[in-house]
Amino acid sequence: SLCFIGSNSLYAAPTTEKELDELFKVMKMEQIGKESLEQLKIQFQQQAYLQVSQRLDSEQLTSEQKEIVNKLSNKLFQHMEKYSSWNKIRPIYIKVYQDIFTSEEVQAQIDFYSSPIGQSILKKTPQVVGATSDAFGKQVSLNYAQDKIEINQILDELSIH
């Protein structure tokens, strides 16, 4: 009987770091990661503004409060950037890809992403990340008011007991 671990069969050739580095280079993962982070920076700023506005229960912030929002969003972004640099996440990608993909599957990805259509898809990846994050942020924001009421009702139960 065959034994499968993830999608890697015990009989499949293991993926090497050299193959993965070639894939990551073809996929421009380091560059796309940087571009995706830049897209996320905008979402951090919007999220920080929303959090401060909601905390103060005010839609219009003073210039001092806006300065605090900028400080908060910059701090959140610096934190994300610090732990998302390529040298920090590369070992994670190596492990995950080695655990999941066979050498043959990695080569197929290299072939695809080396093609013009593969490169076209890769160029659009940061846009997808930004648009998805933006849509998700808007969805969360729209539903936050109702959720906040429900959360506060649950928290109010603490003072009853």
Side-chain angles (χ1 to χ4, degrees):
S1 93
L2 291 175
C3 178
F4 290 93
I5 301 172
S7 69
N8 259 339
S9 159
L10 291 178
Y11 303 105
T15 306
T16 66
E17 271 194 53
K18 182 179 177 186
E19 290 170 316
L20 291 173
D21 281 333
E22 182 181 353
L23 174 62
F24 299 157
K25 182 179 178 186
V26 167
M27 290 177 70
K28 300 177 182 172
M29 287 181 73
E30 186 173 3
Q31 175 188 341
I32 288 172
K34 287 178 185 176
E35 291 172 10
S36 296
L37 271 178
E38 284 303 313
Q39 292 281 336
L40 290 173
K41 187 174 190 174
I42 295 165
Q43 274 75 41
F44 277 115
Q45 289 170 334
Q46 292 169 344
Q47 190 62 33
Y49 188 91
L50 178 68
Q51 287 177 2
V52 171
S53 296
Q54 289 170 344
R55 184 166 190 154
L56 298 174
D57 201 22
S58 170
E59 297 213 6
Q60 295 296 321
L61 300 181
T62 67
S63 58
E64 274 185 0
Q65 291 167 333
K66 287 178 183 176
E67 192 175 311
I68 292 168
V69 167
N70 288 334
K71 186 177 178 180
L72 175 62
S73 67
N74 287 336
K75 187 65 176 171
L76 290 170
F77 184 73
Q78 287 170 359
H79 179 77
M80 175 67 97
E81 196 173 39
K82 180 179 177 181
Y83 295 103
S84 298
S85 67
W86 181 245
N87 65 342
K88 298 263 187 201
I89 62 173
R90 181 188 168 276
I92 296 167
Y93 274 105
I94 293 285
K95 168 119 179 56
V96 169
Y97 274 64
Q98 284 179 327
D99 288 349
I100 295 173
F101 296 113
T102 66
S103 179
E104 183 180 24
E105 291 166 332
V106 168
Q107 189 56 54
Q109 290 180 72
I110 291 168
D111 294 343
F112 172 72
Y113 288 120
S114 295
S115 73
I117 193 73
Q119 287 295 302
S120 177
I121 289 169
L122 288 173
K123 284 179 186 169
K124 295 174 182 175
T125 300
Q127 293 171 301
V128 170
V129 170
T132 304
S133 293
D134 188 43
F136 179 73
K138 286 177 183 171
Q139 182 178 346
V140 168
S141 297
L142 288 173
N143 296 309
Y144 182 78
Q146 180 60 38
D147 292 344
K148 183 179 177 183
I149 291 167
E150 292 172 13
I151 289 167
N152 286 335
Q153 287 171 344
I154 292 168
L155 290 173
D156 287 344
E157 291 179 26
L158 288 172
S159 60
I160 296 170
H161 298 313

